[in-house]
């Protein structure tokens, strides 16, 4: 006898949670492991989507048409690119993220509100594990007798502290949800608040200005979304003050008492410098001007070698220079429609305190923060961030209250999407099988001949220029 739809959803959820915990919390984790984790999650999402019938309609016709147009333009741009295989791989990543979002939307639609508790529980567990790792590393550093301490060395599980910051941009808003729920016990509320303070301590010590900017804008947006939005902002501001206090106690008071000098302090990040983004923004702009209609092809920014990065650290410039301006406008329009639809629901239900409404509020804050951060950072490039962006979008789709009664999806539309998803995951697996056995050797060769740091894109060594 085959598994029921609920059992298949449980298997998918357990697999994804295990992959997320392994890809984020393993001490040896990094960009390449997280890319492999993403490919595995895409595979699970596609398999889950193939087994669920009938499928509900998750998006309206204009959105479906817009997505089809984006994929179509991406395929044409890829065929004309200098390195078509890598370009098609980037399109496959986009489709794979769509498969993840679809799977989570269907999972939540079928599983109902109990899955909201699972989502928040997973976020709490992940943040608790990472916070424990950070505090343990800090305790070892202070007890080591060394006269110099770099807070960046306390961060683990990510190839770059900015990638850690992107993960925090998604989880800081969600971690505040238990503080908003009315029936949470005082002891549990205090424990979650303490965890949120430590999570902010890590965000402050990590010095990722994109996270600070994204959370600041998200707080400003939620402040005008009614009393629950302002309560969310109040808890976040209290946790920021708690994080600042912990930072001062650890890296100023205690470090000074022990005679330890702290390098790379958070105050050193309070600048308006572009941190080397000027040259790569200029490169993306010149690419856009040279080929405005179809761009150079997905991932082809990495085909033009530079000394800074394999992506522009700016979502709009990246999409326009690689996929073309029409595709970028279509993406921006879909993002605006989706954001406006969620904003409208939040305004209509501003006084409601149901769990689903509060979760929608926190998810929207995470989405706003991530989109703002993507204007100065590689949120749409890093594998873990892509997974969380897809998860947030998918969950919001499932929670969305449409104006019209739900209707069944068009059979031919779902058939085309399933076929595209299967092809995408097949290409991603093929690329992984081809490259993974030689990743270490390729990185050593690149470092030996091109500088002293890797430039992540698909893999940690992301420059595809030959």
């Amino acid at each position: 006898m085959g598994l029921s739809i609920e059992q298949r959803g449980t298997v998918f959820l357990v697999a994804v949670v295990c992959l997320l915990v392994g890809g984020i919390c393993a001490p040896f984790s990094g960009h390449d492991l997280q890319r492999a984790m993403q490919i595995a999650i895409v595979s699970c999402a596609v398999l889950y989507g193939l087994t669920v019938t009938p499928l509900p309609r998750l998006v309206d016709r204009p959105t479906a048409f817009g997505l089809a147009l984006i994929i179509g333009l991406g395929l044409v741009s890829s065929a004309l690119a200098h390195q078509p295989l890598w370009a098609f791989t980037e399109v496959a990543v986009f489709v794979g993220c769509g498969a993840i979002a679809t799977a989570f939307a269907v999972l939540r639609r079928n599983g109902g509100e109990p899955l909201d508790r699972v989502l928040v529980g997973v976020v709490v567990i992940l943040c608790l594990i990472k916070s424990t790792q950070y505090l343990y590393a800090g305790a070892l550093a202070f007890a080591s007798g060394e006269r110099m301490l770099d807070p960046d060395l306390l961060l683990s599980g990510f190839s770059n502290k900015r990638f850690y910051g992107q993960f925090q941009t998604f989880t800081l808003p969600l971690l505040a949800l238990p503080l908003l729920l009315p029936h949470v016990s005082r002891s549990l509320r205090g424990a979650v608040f303490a965890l949120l303070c430590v999570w902010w301590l890590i965000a402050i010590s990590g010095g990722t200005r994109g996270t600070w900017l994204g959370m600041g804008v998200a707080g400003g947006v939620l402040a005008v979304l009614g009393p629950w939005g302002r309560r969310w902002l109040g808890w976040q501001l209290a946790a920021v003050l708690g994080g600042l206090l912990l930072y001062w106690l650890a890296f100023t008071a205690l470090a000074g008492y022990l005679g330890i000098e702290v390098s790379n302090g958070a105050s050193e990040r309070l600048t308006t410098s572009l941190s080397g983004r000027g040259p790569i923004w200029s490169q993306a702009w010149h690419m856009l001007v040279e080929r405005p209609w179809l761009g150079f092809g997905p991932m082809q920014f990495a085909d033009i070698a530079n000394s800074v990065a394999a992506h522009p650290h700016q979502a709009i410039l990246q999409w326009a220079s690689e996929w073309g301006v029409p595709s970028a406008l279509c993406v921006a329009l879909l993002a605006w429609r989706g954001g406006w639809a969620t904003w409208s629901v939040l305004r209509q239900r501003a006084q409601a305190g149901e769990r689903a409404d509060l979760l929608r509020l926190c998810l929207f804050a995470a989405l706003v923060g991530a989109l703002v951060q993507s204007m100065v950072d590689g949120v749409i490039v890093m594998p873990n961030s892509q997974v969380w962006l897809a998860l947030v979008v998918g969950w919001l789709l499932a929670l969305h209250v449409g104006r019209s009664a739900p209707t069944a999806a068009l059979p031919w539309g779902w058939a085309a999407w399933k076929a595209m998803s299967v092809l995408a995951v097949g290409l991603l697996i093929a690329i992984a099988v081809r490259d993974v056995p030689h990743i270490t050797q390729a990185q050593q060769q690149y470092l030996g001949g091109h500088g002293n740091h890797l430039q992540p894109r698909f893999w940690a060594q992301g420059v595809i220029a030959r």
Side-chain angles (χ1 to χ4, degrees), residues 221-222 224-229 338-352 356-365 368 396 399-401:
V221 171
L222 261 64
V224 299
L225 279 175
W228 289 105
W340 182 257
T342 303
W343 169 276
S344 300
V345 174
L346 288 170
R347 293 288 292 175
Q348 292 170 7
R349 301 187 59 81
Q351 304 297 326
D357 296 305
L358 298 178
L359 178 58
R360 183 187 292 110
L361 186 79
C362 295
L363 288 168
F364 186 67
V368 170
L396 282 172
L399 294 175
H400 184 66
V401 180

Side-chain angles (χ1 to χ4, degrees), residues 152-165:
D152 290 353
L153 299 180
L154 307 182
L155 304 174
S156 63
F158 291 83
S159 302
N160 189 298
K161 66 178 183 179
R162 291 189 183 92
F163 310 160
Y164 201 130

Side-chain angles (χ1 to χ4, degrees), residues 277-296:
R277 287 174 175 81
I280 53 178
W281 286 359
S282 177
Q283 176 178 317
W285 175 258
H286 285 98
M287 291 170 63
L288 182 160
V289 171
E290 185 174 344
R291 299 184 186 177
W293 295 108
L294 290 172
F296 275 65

Side-chain angles (χ1 to χ4, degrees), residues 73-144:
L73 289 172
L75 292 175
V76 175
S77 179
S78 299
L80 300 175
H82 180 240
Q83 297 204 47
L85 181 58
W86 279 119
F88 284 121
T89 301
E90 185 89 327
V91 177
V93 170
F94 175 75
V95 174
C97 290
I100 294 173
T102 301
F104 277 115
V106 173
L107 178 72
R108 172 56 176 82
R109 287 275 180 94
N110 291 329
E113 188 172 294
L115 286 179
D116 296 340
R117 299 186 180 92
V118 175
L119 173 63
V120 177
V122 170
V123 170
V124 170
I125 291 172
L126 288 172
C127 295
L128 180 61
I129 294 174
K130 297 305 297 181
S131 297
T132 303
Q133 289 177 335
Y134 181 87
L135 294 176
Y136 179 70
L140 291 180
F142 279 107
S144 66

Side-chain angles (χ1 to χ4, degrees), residues 425-447:
V425 75
L427 177 57
L428 293 175
I429 292 174
I431 293 295
V433 170
R434 184 195 69 178
D435 291 349
V436 167
H438 313 290
I439 279 183
T440 302
Q441 179 183 359
Q443 290 178 357
Q444 292 173 348
Q445 289 178 347
Y446 179 81
L447 292 174

Side-chain angles (χ1 to χ4, degrees), residues 3-266:
L3 297 176
S4 66
I5 188 171
E6 291 81 7
Q7 291 172 326
R8 289 193 291 268
T10 301
V11 171
F12 167 68
L13 185 60
V14 170
V16 170
V17 170
C18 291
L19 289 167
L20 284 175
V21 172
I24 296 172
C25 299
F28 53 85
S29 181
H31 184 94
D32 292 332
L33 179 60
Q34 289 172 358
R35 183 66 72 187
M37 171 204 73
Q38 180 191 28
I39 294 173
I41 292 177
V42 171
S43 302
C44 294
V46 172
L47 289 174
Y48 176 62
L50 292 175
T51 62
V52 177
T53 52
L55 286 166
R57 175 176 290 181
L58 300 174
V59 297
D60 57 13
R61 288 178 182 270
T63 302
F65 177 78
L67 290 171
L69 181 60
I70 292 169
I71 295 173
L73 289 172
L75 292 175
V76 175
S77 179
S78 299
L80 300 175
H82 180 240
Q83 297 204 47
L85 181 58
W86 279 119
F88 284 121
T89 301
E90 185 89 327
V91 177
V93 170
F94 175 75
V95 174
C97 290
I100 294 173
T102 301
F104 277 115
V106 173
L107 178 72
R108 172 56 176 82
R109 287 275 180 94
N110 291 329
E113 188 172 294
L115 286 179
D116 296 340
R117 299 186 180 92
V118 175
L119 173 63
V120 177
V122 170
V123 170
V124 170
I125 291 172
L126 288 172
C127 295
L128 180 61
I129 294 174
K130 297 305 297 181
S131 297
T132 303
Q133 289 177 335
Y134 181 87
L135 294 176
Y136 179 70
L140 291 180
F142 279 107
S144 66
E146 297 288 338
R147 298 295 90 187
M148 181 71 72
L149 173 62
D150 185 353
D152 290 353
L153 299 180
L154 307 182
L155 304 174
S156 63
F158 291 83
S159 302
N160 189 298
K161 66 178 183 179
R162 291 189 183 92
F163 310 160
Y164 201 130
Q166 294 170 19
F167 172 60
Q168 291 194 285
T169 303
F170 285 107
T171 50
L172 279 167
L174 295 171
L175 194 55
L177 177 61
L179 303 174
L180 302 178
L181 298 174
H183 302 300
V184 174
S185 65
R186 181 172 298 180
S187 58
L188 179 58
R189 197 185 303 273
V192 172
F193 179 71
L195 178 59
L196 185 60
C197 290
V198 174
W199 206 226
W200 266 111
L201 162 66
I202 299 174
I204 293 167
S205 67
T208 303
R209 289 175 294 170
T211 296
W212 304 345
L213 175 64
M215 288 298 296
V217 174
V221 171
L222 261 64
V224 299
L225 279 175
W228 289 105
R230 289 186 285 275
R231 189 171 300 180
W232 177 93
L233 178 58
W235 279 113
Q236 293 289 354
L237 290 175
V240 169
L241 293 177
L244 286 170
L245 176 61
L246 292 174
Y247 182 88
W248 180 84
L249 290 172
F251 298 108
T252 300
L254 181 59
Y257 176 77
L258 298 175
I260 298 175
E261 182 181 352
V262 177
S263 62
N264 293 323

